[in-house]
Amino acid sequence: MIRFLFRFIGFWLVAGGFVALIVDGTRSIASSALVFTSTGDAWFALSPGTLEQAERSGRAGLPLVWNTAILPLLSLPAFLLLVVVGLILLALGRVRERSRFEVSR
């Protein structure tokens, strides 16, 4: 059941990453320059309150983790982060194939 959940969420994250890539590509063509939407900008556009709450909690609780791990992730292009996390979840949820050399008892 958990593998199915990983595959399901992974599939939707990869699809969302593809949509974000299409949006960035369209903006890049329109402006005649490379334009990437950062993960932080996309999060702020979707739900600014939760981003501010996460920032407050991160800075109050573990400022070292916030500054060294979370801020660099928020500056990555949104499509890249979505696709990478989606592919990781798809890999974790993959169905293992039985070896044809395995001896059944």
PDB file of all heavy atoms in Angstrom, residues 40-81:
ATOM      1  N   GLY A  40      10.708  28.906  -4.004  1.00  0.00           N
ATOM      2  CA  GLY A  40      10.176  29.871  -3.043  1.00  0.00           C
ATOM      3  C   GLY A  40       9.136  30.786  -3.666  1.00  0.00           C
ATOM      4  O   GLY A  40       8.102  31.074  -3.051  1.00  0.00           O
ATOM      5  N   ASP A  41       9.386  31.247  -4.889  1.00  0.00           N
ATOM      6  CA  ASP A  41       8.403  32.099  -5.573  1.00  0.00           C
ATOM      7  C   ASP A  41       7.118  31.338  -5.887  1.00  0.00           C
ATOM      8  O   ASP A  41       6.020  31.881  -5.747  1.00  0.00           O
ATOM      9  CB  ASP A  41       8.994  32.657  -6.873  1.00  0.00           C
ATOM     10  CG  ASP A  41      10.103  33.661  -6.628  1.00  0.00           C
ATOM     11  OD1 ASP A  41      10.205  34.179  -5.498  1.00  0.00           O
ATOM     12  OD2 ASP A  41      10.880  33.918  -7.574  1.00  0.00           O
ATOM     13  N   ALA A  42       7.251  30.076  -6.294  1.00  0.00           N
ATOM     14  CA  ALA A  42       6.066  29.278  -6.587  1.00  0.00           C
ATOM     15  C   ALA A  42       5.269  29.017  -5.315  1.00  0.00           C
ATOM     16  O   ALA A  42       4.033  29.102  -5.315  1.00  0.00           O
ATOM     17  CB  ALA A  42       6.477  27.955  -7.230  1.00  0.00           C
ATOM     18  N   TRP A  43       5.959  28.727  -4.221  1.00  0.00           N
ATOM     19  CA  TRP A  43       5.284  28.493  -2.941  1.00  0.00           C
ATOM     20  C   TRP A  43       4.580  29.766  -2.479  1.00  0.00           C
ATOM     21  O   TRP A  43       3.451  29.731  -2.009  1.00  0.00           O
ATOM     22  CB  TRP A  43       6.285  28.006  -1.916  1.00  0.00           C
ATOM     23  CG  TRP A  43       5.714  27.548  -0.602  1.00  0.00           C
ATOM     24  CD1 TRP A  43       4.400  27.533  -0.226  1.00  0.00           C
ATOM     25  CD2 TRP A  43       6.445  27.022   0.492  1.00  0.00           C
ATOM     26  NE1 TRP A  43       4.284  27.035   1.048  1.00  0.00           N
ATOM     27  CE2 TRP A  43       5.523  26.713   1.514  1.00  0.00           C
ATOM     28  CE3 TRP A  43       7.798  26.793   0.726  1.00  0.00           C
ATOM     29  CZ2 TRP A  43       5.914  26.178   2.736  1.00  0.00           C
ATOM     30  CZ3 TRP A  43       8.177  26.264   1.941  1.00  0.00           C
ATOM     31  CH2 TRP A  43       7.243  25.960   2.928  1.00  0.00           C
ATOM     32  N   PHE A  44       5.249  30.908  -2.642  1.00  0.00           N
ATOM     33  CA  PHE A  44       4.650  32.181  -2.243  1.00  0.00           C
ATOM     34  C   PHE A  44       3.419  32.495  -3.091  1.00  0.00           C
ATOM     35  O   PHE A  44       2.431  33.021  -2.583  1.00  0.00           O
ATOM     36  CB  PHE A  44       5.673  33.320  -2.364  1.00  0.00           C
ATOM     37  CG  PHE A  44       5.161  34.634  -1.855  1.00  0.00           C
ATOM     38  CD1 PHE A  44       5.100  34.877  -0.491  1.00  0.00           C
ATOM     39  CD2 PHE A  44       4.736  35.610  -2.725  1.00  0.00           C
ATOM     40  CE1 PHE A  44       4.621  36.082  -0.002  1.00  0.00           C
ATOM     41  CE2 PHE A  44       4.251  36.818  -2.264  1.00  0.00           C
ATOM     42  CZ  PHE A  44       4.201  37.057  -0.893  1.00  0.00           C
ATOM     43  N   ALA A  45       3.460  32.161  -4.373  1.00  0.00           N
ATOM     44  CA  ALA A  45       2.308  32.408  -5.243  1.00  0.00           C
ATOM     45  C   ALA A  45       1.124  31.511  -4.873  1.00  0.00           C
ATOM     46  O   ALA A  45      -0.028  31.928  -4.982  1.00  0.00           O
ATOM     47  CB  ALA A  45       2.697  32.181  -6.702  1.00  0.00           C
ATOM     48  N   LEU A  46       1.407  30.280  -4.432  1.00  0.00           N
ATOM     49  CA  LEU A  46       0.337  29.355  -4.088  1.00  0.00           C
ATOM     50  C   LEU A  46      -0.237  29.597  -2.688  1.00  0.00           C
ATOM     51  O   LEU A  46      -1.444  29.553  -2.498  1.00  0.00           O
ATOM     52  CB  LEU A  46       0.824  27.912  -4.189  1.00  0.00           C
ATOM     53  CG  LEU A  46       1.114  27.408  -5.582  1.00  0.00           C
ATOM     54  CD1 LEU A  46       1.734  26.019  -5.529  1.00  0.00           C
ATOM     55  CD2 LEU A  46      -0.161  27.381  -6.412  1.00  0.00           C
ATOM     56  N   SER A  47       0.643  29.843  -1.713  1.00  0.00           N
ATOM     57  CA  SER A  47       0.188  30.000  -0.334  1.00  0.00           C
ATOM     58  C   SER A  47       1.196  30.819   0.463  1.00  0.00           C
ATOM     59  O   SER A  47       2.062  30.268   1.143  1.00  0.00           O
ATOM     60  CB  SER A  47      -0.006  28.624   0.303  1.00  0.00           C
ATOM     61  OG  SER A  47      -0.431  28.756   1.630  1.00  0.00           O
ATOM     62  N   PRO A  48       1.086  32.147   0.405  1.00  0.00           N
ATOM     63  CA  PRO A  48       2.077  32.983   1.088  1.00  0.00           C
ATOM     64  C   PRO A  48       2.064  32.816   2.605  1.00  0.00           C
ATOM     65  O   PRO A  48       3.103  32.918   3.252  1.00  0.00           O
ATOM     66  CB  PRO A  48       1.710  34.404   0.680  1.00  0.00           C
ATOM     67  CG  PRO A  48       0.345  34.332   0.127  1.00  0.00           C
ATOM     68  CD  PRO A  48       0.109  32.936  -0.316  1.00  0.00           C
ATOM     69  N   GLY A  49       0.919  32.538   3.170  1.00  0.00           N
ATOM     70  CA  GLY A  49       0.837  32.386   4.627  1.00  0.00           C
ATOM     71  C   GLY A  49       1.632  31.210   5.144  1.00  0.00           C
ATOM     72  O   GLY A  49       2.302  31.302   6.179  1.00  0.00           O
ATOM     73  N   THR A  50       1.552  30.086   4.442  1.00  0.00           N
ATOM     74  CA  THR A  50       2.285  28.907   4.902  1.00  0.00           C
ATOM     75  C   THR A  50       3.791  29.077   4.723  1.00  0.00           C
ATOM     76  O   THR A  50       4.562  28.572   5.536  1.00  0.00           O
ATOM     77  CB  THR A  50       1.820  27.638   4.171  1.00  0.00           C
ATOM     78  OG1 THR A  50       2.005  27.812   2.764  1.00  0.00           O
ATOM     79  CG2 THR A  50       0.368  27.331   4.473  1.00  0.00           C
ATOM     80  N   LEU A  51       4.202  29.788   3.691  1.00  0.00           N
ATOM     81  CA  LEU A  51       5.629  30.054   3.517  1.00  0.00           C
ATOM     82  C   LEU A  51       6.148  30.924   4.653  1.00  0.00           C
ATOM     83  O   LEU A  51       7.208  30.643   5.229  1.00  0.00           O
ATOM     84  CB  LEU A  51       5.907  30.719   2.165  1.00  0.00           C
ATOM     85  CG  LEU A  51       7.357  31.115   1.899  1.00  0.00           C
ATOM     86  CD1 LEU A  51       8.269  29.899   1.918  1.00  0.00           C
ATOM     87  CD2 LEU A  51       7.475  31.839   0.579  1.00  0.00           C
ATOM     88  N   GLU A  52       5.414  31.962   5.004  1.00  0.00           N
ATOM     89  CA  GLU A  52       5.838  32.833   6.102  1.00  0.00           C
ATOM     90  C   GLU A  52       5.849  32.074   7.427  1.00  0.00           C
ATOM     91  O   GLU A  52       6.755  32.252   8.244  1.00  0.00           O
ATOM     92  CB  GLU A  52       4.919  34.045   6.182  1.00  0.00           C
ATOM     93  CG  GLU A  52       5.064  34.981   5.011  1.00  0.00           C
ATOM     94  CD  GLU A  52       3.971  36.040   4.956  1.00  0.00           C
ATOM     95  OE1 GLU A  52       3.105  36.057   5.867  1.00  0.00           O
ATOM     96  OE2 GLU A  52       3.989  36.844   4.015  1.00  0.00           O
ATOM     97  N   GLN A  53       4.863  31.212   7.645  1.00  0.00           N
ATOM     98  CA  GLN A  53       4.814  30.420   8.863  1.00  0.00           C
ATOM     99  C   GLN A  53       5.987  29.440   8.924  1.00  0.00           C
ATOM    100  O   GLN A  53       6.604  29.265   9.973  1.00  0.00           O
ATOM    101  CB  GLN A  53       3.495  29.664   8.949  1.00  0.00           C
ATOM    102  CG  GLN A  53       3.320  28.880  10.216  1.00  0.00           C
ATOM    103  CD  GLN A  53       1.990  28.150  10.259  1.00  0.00           C
ATOM    104  OE1 GLN A  53       1.248  28.145   9.279  1.00  0.00           O
ATOM    105  NE2 GLN A  53       1.691  27.538  11.383  1.00  0.00           N
ATOM    106  N   ALA A  54       6.304  28.800   7.808  1.00  0.00           N
ATOM    107  CA  ALA A  54       7.440  27.879   7.763  1.00  0.00           C
ATOM    108  C   ALA A  54       8.747  28.622   8.007  1.00  0.00           C
ATOM    109  O   ALA A  54       9.636  28.117   8.698  1.00  0.00           O
ATOM    110  CB  ALA A  54       7.482  27.159   6.418  1.00  0.00           C
ATOM    111  N   GLU A  55       8.855  29.816   7.447  1.00  0.00           N
ATOM    112  CA  GLU A  55      10.073  30.606   7.656  1.00  0.00           C
ATOM    113  C   GLU A  55      10.216  31.001   9.122  1.00  0.00           C
ATOM    114  O   GLU A  55      11.307  30.892   9.694  1.00  0.00           O
ATOM    115  CB  GLU A  55      10.041  31.852   6.768  1.00  0.00           C
ATOM    116  CG  GLU A  55      11.302  32.679   6.864  1.00  0.00           C
ATOM    117  CD  GLU A  55      11.294  33.871   5.932  1.00  0.00           C
ATOM    118  OE1 GLU A  55      10.269  34.115   5.265  1.00  0.00           O
ATOM    119  OE2 GLU A  55      12.316  34.571   5.890  1.00  0.00           O
ATOM    120  N   ARG A  56       9.131  31.448   9.743  1.00  0.00           N
ATOM    121  CA  ARG A  56       9.180  31.810  11.163  1.00  0.00           C
ATOM    122  C   ARG A  56       9.555  30.607  12.020  1.00  0.00           C
ATOM    123  O   ARG A  56      10.412  30.705  12.909  1.00  0.00           O
ATOM    124  CB  ARG A  56       7.830  32.368  11.627  1.00  0.00           C
ATOM    125  CG  ARG A  56       7.781  33.861  11.660  1.00  0.00           C
ATOM    126  CD  ARG A  56       6.499  34.392  12.277  1.00  0.00           C
ATOM    127  NE  ARG A  56       5.486  34.499  11.220  1.00  0.00           N
ATOM    128  CZ  ARG A  56       4.355  33.803  11.172  1.00  0.00           C
ATOM    129  NH1 ARG A  56       4.037  32.981  12.132  1.00  0.00           N
ATOM    130  NH2 ARG A  56       3.515  33.951  10.168  1.00  0.00           N
ATOM    131  N   SER A  57       8.934  29.482  11.755  1.00  0.00           N
ATOM    132  CA  SER A  57       9.223  28.269  12.528  1.00  0.00           C
ATOM    133  C   SER A  57      10.660  27.805  12.315  1.00  0.00           C
ATOM    134  O   SER A  57      11.331  27.393  13.265  1.00  0.00           O
ATOM    135  CB  SER A  57       8.268  27.147  12.128  1.00  0.00           C
ATOM    136  OG  SER A  57       6.946  27.509  12.369  1.00  0.00           O
ATOM    137  N   GLY A  58      11.114  27.855  11.077  1.00  0.00           N
ATOM    138  CA  GLY A  58      12.476  27.423  10.776  1.00  0.00           C
ATOM    139  C   GLY A  58      13.531  28.311  11.400  1.00  0.00           C
ATOM    140  O   GLY A  58      14.519  27.826  11.945  1.00  0.00           O
ATOM    141  N   ARG A  59      13.313  29.605  11.333  1.00  0.00           N
ATOM    142  CA  ARG A  59      14.292  30.527  11.918  1.00  0.00           C
ATOM    143  C   ARG A  59      14.279  30.466  13.447  1.00  0.00           C
ATOM    144  O   ARG A  59      15.317  30.634  14.080  1.00  0.00           O
ATOM    145  CB  ARG A  59      14.035  31.944  11.444  1.00  0.00           C
ATOM    146  CG  ARG A  59      14.381  32.166   9.989  1.00  0.00           C
ATOM    147  CD  ARG A  59      14.333  33.650   9.633  1.00  0.00           C
ATOM    148  NE  ARG A  59      14.429  33.856   8.214  1.00  0.00           N
ATOM    149  CZ  ARG A  59      15.573  33.866   7.534  1.00  0.00           C
ATOM    150  NH1 ARG A  59      16.699  33.671   8.155  1.00  0.00           N
ATOM    151  NH2 ARG A  59      15.575  34.072   6.228  1.00  0.00           N
ATOM    152  N   ALA A  60      13.121  30.223  14.049  1.00  0.00           N
ATOM    153  CA  ALA A  60      13.044  30.152  15.506  1.00  0.00           C
ATOM    154  C   ALA A  60      13.557  28.816  16.025  1.00  0.00           C
ATOM    155  O   ALA A  60      14.255  28.760  17.030  1.00  0.00           O
ATOM    156  CB  ALA A  60      11.600  30.362  15.961  1.00  0.00           C
ATOM    157  N   GLY A  61      13.207  27.743  15.346  1.00  0.00           N
ATOM    158  CA  GLY A  61      13.569  26.415  15.831  1.00  0.00           C
ATOM    159  C   GLY A  61      15.000  26.016  15.522  1.00  0.00           C
ATOM    160  O   GLY A  61      15.805  25.788  16.420  1.00  0.00           O
ATOM    161  N   LEU A  62      15.334  25.928  14.252  1.00  0.00           N
ATOM    162  CA  LEU A  62      16.666  25.493  13.815  1.00  0.00           C
ATOM    163  C   LEU A  62      17.187  26.442  12.737  1.00  0.00           C
ATOM    164  O   LEU A  62      17.109  26.144  11.551  1.00  0.00           O
ATOM    165  CB  LEU A  62      16.606  24.064  13.269  1.00  0.00           C
ATOM    166  CG  LEU A  62      16.204  22.983  14.269  1.00  0.00           C
ATOM    167  CD1 LEU A  62      15.923  21.680  13.561  1.00  0.00           C
ATOM    168  CD2 LEU A  62      17.278  22.803  15.314  1.00  0.00           C
ATOM    169  N   PRO A  63      17.727  27.581  13.139  1.00  0.00           N
ATOM    170  CA  PRO A  63      18.173  28.544  12.126  1.00  0.00           C
ATOM    171  C   PRO A  63      19.315  28.025  11.255  1.00  0.00           C
ATOM    172  O   PRO A  63      19.408  28.377  10.083  1.00  0.00           O
ATOM    173  CB  PRO A  63      18.608  29.760  12.945  1.00  0.00           C
ATOM    174  CG  PRO A  63      18.802  29.267  14.329  1.00  0.00           C
ATOM    175  CD  PRO A  63      17.931  28.068  14.499  1.00  0.00           C
ATOM    176  N   LEU A  64      20.162  27.162  11.800  1.00  0.00           N
ATOM    177  CA  LEU A  64      21.261  26.618  11.002  1.00  0.00           C
ATOM    178  C   LEU A  64      20.733  25.740   9.875  1.00  0.00           C
ATOM    179  O   LEU A  64      21.183  25.841   8.727  1.00  0.00           O
ATOM    180  CB  LEU A  64      22.216  25.817  11.896  1.00  0.00           C
ATOM    181  CG  LEU A  64      23.452  25.249  11.211  1.00  0.00           C
ATOM    182  CD1 LEU A  64      24.337  26.377  10.714  1.00  0.00           C
ATOM    183  CD2 LEU A  64      24.205  24.335  12.133  1.00  0.00           C
ATOM    184  N   VAL A  65      19.749  24.909  10.176  1.00  0.00           N
ATOM    185  CA  VAL A  65      19.148  24.052   9.149  1.00  0.00           C
ATOM    186  C   VAL A  65      18.404  24.903   8.122  1.00  0.00           C
ATOM    187  O   VAL A  65      18.472  24.648   6.917  1.00  0.00           O
ATOM    188  CB  VAL A  65      18.194  23.017   9.794  1.00  0.00           C
ATOM    189  CG1 VAL A  65      17.433  22.237   8.734  1.00  0.00           C
ATOM    190  CG2 VAL A  65      18.965  22.077  10.698  1.00  0.00           C
ATOM    191  N   TRP A  66      17.703  25.919   8.602  1.00  0.00           N
ATOM    192  CA  TRP A  66      16.962  26.781   7.688  1.00  0.00           C
ATOM    193  C   TRP A  66      17.909  27.463   6.705  1.00  0.00           C
ATOM    194  O   TRP A  66      17.663  27.490   5.503  1.00  0.00           O
ATOM    195  CB  TRP A  66      16.154  27.818   8.458  1.00  0.00           C
ATOM    196  CG  TRP A  66      15.405  28.743   7.566  1.00  0.00           C
ATOM    197  CD1 TRP A  66      15.775  30.002   7.188  1.00  0.00           C
ATOM    198  CD2 TRP A  66      14.172  28.482   6.885  1.00  0.00           C
ATOM    199  NE1 TRP A  66      14.852  30.527   6.331  1.00  0.00           N
ATOM    200  CE2 TRP A  66      13.855  29.625   6.129  1.00  0.00           C
ATOM    201  CE3 TRP A  66      13.309  27.403   6.845  1.00  0.00           C
ATOM    202  CZ2 TRP A  66      12.715  29.694   5.346  1.00  0.00           C
ATOM    203  CZ3 TRP A  66      12.169  27.479   6.064  1.00  0.00           C
ATOM    204  CH2 TRP A  66      11.886  28.622   5.327  1.00  0.00           C
ATOM    205  N   ASN A  67      19.004  28.015   7.221  1.00  0.00           N
ATOM    206  CA  ASN A  67      19.928  28.772   6.374  1.00  0.00           C
ATOM    207  C   ASN A  67      20.781  27.891   5.474  1.00  0.00           C
ATOM    208  O   ASN A  67      21.107  28.292   4.356  1.00  0.00           O
ATOM    209  CB  ASN A  67      20.830  29.656   7.236  1.00  0.00           C
ATOM    210  CG  ASN A  67      20.070  30.774   7.908  1.00  0.00           C
ATOM    211  OD1 ASN A  67      19.060  31.244   7.392  1.00  0.00           O
ATOM    212  ND2 ASN A  67      20.535  31.182   9.072  1.00  0.00           N
ATOM    213  N   THR A  68      21.155  26.710   5.935  1.00  0.00           N
ATOM    214  CA  THR A  68      22.062  25.881   5.134  1.00  0.00           C
ATOM    215  C   THR A  68      21.358  24.859   4.252  1.00  0.00           C
ATOM    216  O   THR A  68      21.927  24.427   3.253  1.00  0.00           O
ATOM    217  CB  THR A  68      23.061  25.132   6.041  1.00  0.00           C
ATOM    218  OG1 THR A  68      22.334  24.320   6.963  1.00  0.00           O
ATOM    219  CG2 THR A  68      23.955  26.104   6.780  1.00  0.00           C
ATOM    220  N   ALA A  69      20.133  24.457   4.599  1.00  0.00           N
ATOM    221  CA  ALA A  69      19.462  23.406   3.820  1.00  0.00           C
ATOM    222  C   ALA A  69      18.204  23.900   3.120  1.00  0.00           C
ATOM    223  O   ALA A  69      18.015  23.639   1.933  1.00  0.00           O
ATOM    224  CB  ALA A  69      19.122  22.227   4.729  1.00  0.00           C
ATOM    225  N   ILE A  70      17.354  24.587   3.824  1.00  0.00           N
ATOM    226  CA  ILE A  70      16.053  24.947   3.270  1.00  0.00           C
ATOM    227  C   ILE A  70      16.160  26.116   2.284  1.00  0.00           C
ATOM    228  O   ILE A  70      15.559  26.068   1.198  1.00  0.00           O
ATOM    229  CB  ILE A  70      15.048  25.277   4.395  1.00  0.00           C
ATOM    230  CG1 ILE A  70      14.951  24.126   5.387  1.00  0.00           C
ATOM    231  CG2 ILE A  70      13.687  25.636   3.819  1.00  0.00           C
ATOM    232  CD1 ILE A  70      14.473  22.827   4.794  1.00  0.00           C
ATOM    233  N   LEU A  71      16.896  27.159   2.622  1.00  0.00           N
ATOM    234  CA  LEU A  71      17.016  28.309   1.710  1.00  0.00           C
ATOM    235  C   LEU A  71      17.609  27.929   0.347  1.00  0.00           C
ATOM    236  O   LEU A  71      17.104  28.391  -0.682  1.00  0.00           O
ATOM    237  CB  LEU A  71      17.815  29.435   2.359  1.00  0.00           C
ATOM    238  CG  LEU A  71      17.057  30.271   3.383  1.00  0.00           C
ATOM    239  CD1 LEU A  71      17.955  31.363   3.957  1.00  0.00           C
ATOM    240  CD2 LEU A  71      15.802  30.869   2.806  1.00  0.00           C
ATOM    241  N   PRO A  72      18.660  27.099   0.285  1.00  0.00           N
ATOM    242  CA  PRO A  72      19.130  26.678  -1.046  1.00  0.00           C
ATOM    243  C   PRO A  72      18.087  25.879  -1.830  1.00  0.00           C
ATOM    244  O   PRO A  72      17.995  26.005  -3.045  1.00  0.00           O
ATOM    245  CB  PRO A  72      20.367  25.825  -0.749  1.00  0.00           C
ATOM    246  CG  PRO A  72      20.846  26.305   0.566  1.00  0.00           C
ATOM    247  CD  PRO A  72      19.618  26.702   1.326  1.00  0.00           C
ATOM    248  N   LEU A  73      17.280  25.069  -1.126  1.00  0.00           N
ATOM    249  CA  LEU A  73      16.217  24.329  -1.815  1.00  0.00           C
ATOM    250  C   LEU A  73      15.147  25.272  -2.358  1.00  0.00           C
ATOM    251  O   LEU A  73      14.597  25.047  -3.434  1.00  0.00           O
ATOM    252  CB  LEU A  73      15.572  23.312  -0.880  1.00  0.00           C
ATOM    253  CG  LEU A  73      16.382  22.064  -0.571  1.00  0.00           C
ATOM    254  CD1 LEU A  73      15.650  21.203   0.445  1.00  0.00           C
ATOM    255  CD2 LEU A  73      16.672  21.283  -1.827  1.00  0.00           C
ATOM    256  N   LEU A  74      14.850  26.332  -1.614  1.00  0.00           N
ATOM    257  CA  LEU A  74      13.841  27.286  -2.065  1.00  0.00           C
ATOM    258  C   LEU A  74      14.321  28.130  -3.244  1.00  0.00           C
ATOM    259  O   LEU A  74      13.523  28.715  -3.953  1.00  0.00           O
ATOM    260  CB  LEU A  74      13.410  28.202  -0.917  1.00  0.00           C
ATOM    261  CG  LEU A  74      12.574  27.544   0.180  1.00  0.00           C
ATOM    262  CD1 LEU A  74      12.301  28.542   1.298  1.00  0.00           C
ATOM    263  CD2 LEU A  74      11.287  26.987  -0.370  1.00  0.00           C
ATOM    264  N   SER A  75      15.625  28.189  -3.458  1.00  0.00           N
ATOM    265  CA  SER A  75      16.137  28.961  -4.588  1.00  0.00           C
ATOM    266  C   SER A  75      16.268  28.121  -5.864  1.00  0.00           C
ATOM    267  O   SER A  75      16.516  28.669  -6.935  1.00  0.00           O
ATOM    268  CB  SER A  75      17.491  29.583  -4.228  1.00  0.00           C
ATOM    269  OG  SER A  75      18.444  28.570  -4.029  1.00  0.00           O
ATOM    270  N   LEU A  76      16.078  26.809  -5.760  1.00  0.00           N
ATOM    271  CA  LEU A  76      16.128  25.948  -6.952  1.00  0.00           C
ATOM    272  C   LEU A  76      14.919  26.210  -7.843  1.00  0.00           C
ATOM    273  O   LEU A  76      13.863  26.605  -7.357  1.00  0.00           O
ATOM    274  CB  LEU A  76      16.116  24.477  -6.535  1.00  0.00           C
ATOM    275  CG  LEU A  76      17.384  23.903  -5.945  1.00  0.00           C
ATOM    276  CD1 LEU A  76      17.132  22.465  -5.497  1.00  0.00           C
ATOM    277  CD2 LEU A  76      18.511  23.937  -6.932  1.00  0.00           C
ATOM    278  N   PRO A  77      15.057  25.966  -9.154  1.00  0.00           N
ATOM    279  CA  PRO A  77      13.873  26.057 -10.018  1.00  0.00           C
ATOM    280  C   PRO A  77      12.813  25.052  -9.573  1.00  0.00           C
ATOM    281  O   PRO A  77      13.127  23.915  -9.202  1.00  0.00           O
ATOM    282  CB  PRO A  77      14.410  25.698 -11.403  1.00  0.00           C
ATOM    283  CG  PRO A  77      15.876  25.967 -11.332  1.00  0.00           C
ATOM    284  CD  PRO A  77      16.275  25.701  -9.912  1.00  0.00           C
ATOM    285  N   ALA A  78      11.563  25.472  -9.599  1.00  0.00           N
ATOM    286  CA  ALA A  78      10.470  24.643  -9.099  1.00  0.00           C
ATOM    287  C   ALA A  78      10.358  23.339  -9.875  1.00  0.00           C
ATOM    288  O   ALA A  78      10.144  22.273  -9.278  1.00  0.00           O
ATOM    289  CB  ALA A  78       9.163  25.430  -9.170  1.00  0.00           C
ATOM    290  N   PHE A  79      10.522  23.395 -11.202  1.00  0.00           N
ATOM    291  CA  PHE A  79      10.386  22.170 -11.993  1.00  0.00           C
ATOM    292  C   PHE A  79      11.448  21.154 -11.610  1.00  0.00           C
ATOM    293  O   PHE A  79      11.175  19.949 -11.552  1.00  0.00           O
ATOM    294  CB  PHE A  79      10.414  22.467 -13.497  1.00  0.00           C
ATOM    295  CG  PHE A  79      11.777  22.715 -14.062  1.00  0.00           C
ATOM    296  CD1 PHE A  79      12.545  21.672 -14.530  1.00  0.00           C
ATOM    297  CD2 PHE A  79      12.296  24.006 -14.128  1.00  0.00           C
ATOM    298  CE1 PHE A  79      13.813  21.901 -15.065  1.00  0.00           C
ATOM    299  CE2 PHE A  79      13.545  24.242 -14.652  1.00  0.00           C
ATOM    300  CZ  PHE A  79      14.310  23.179 -15.122  1.00  0.00           C
ATOM    301  N   LEU A  80      12.653  21.601 -11.325  1.00  0.00           N
ATOM    302  CA  LEU A  80      13.744  20.693 -10.991  1.00  0.00           C
ATOM    303  C   LEU A  80      13.477  19.984  -9.665  1.00  0.00           C
ATOM    304  O   LEU A  80      13.620  18.759  -9.563  1.00  0.00           O
ATOM    305  CB  LEU A  80      15.065  21.462 -10.934  1.00  0.00           C
ATOM    306  CG  LEU A  80      16.310  20.651 -10.627  1.00  0.00           C
ATOM    307  CD1 LEU A  80      16.581  19.685 -11.769  1.00  0.00           C
ATOM    308  CD2 LEU A  80      17.492  21.564 -10.420  1.00  0.00           C
ATOM    309  N   LEU A  81      13.068  20.739  -8.671  1.00  0.00           N
ATOM    310  CA  LEU A  81      12.793  20.143  -7.369  1.00  0.00           C
ATOM    311  C   LEU A  81      11.624  19.159  -7.447  1.00  0.00           C
ATOM    312  O   LEU A  81      11.683  18.064  -6.889  1.00  0.00           O
ATOM    313  CB  LEU A  81      12.506  21.229  -6.332  1.00  0.00           C
ATOM    314  CG  LEU A  81      12.375  20.741  -4.897  1.00  0.00           C
ATOM    315  CD1 LEU A  81      13.714  20.225  -4.403  1.00  0.00           C
ATOM    316  CD2 LEU A  81      11.880  21.846  -4.000  1.00  0.00           C
TER     317      LEU A  81
END
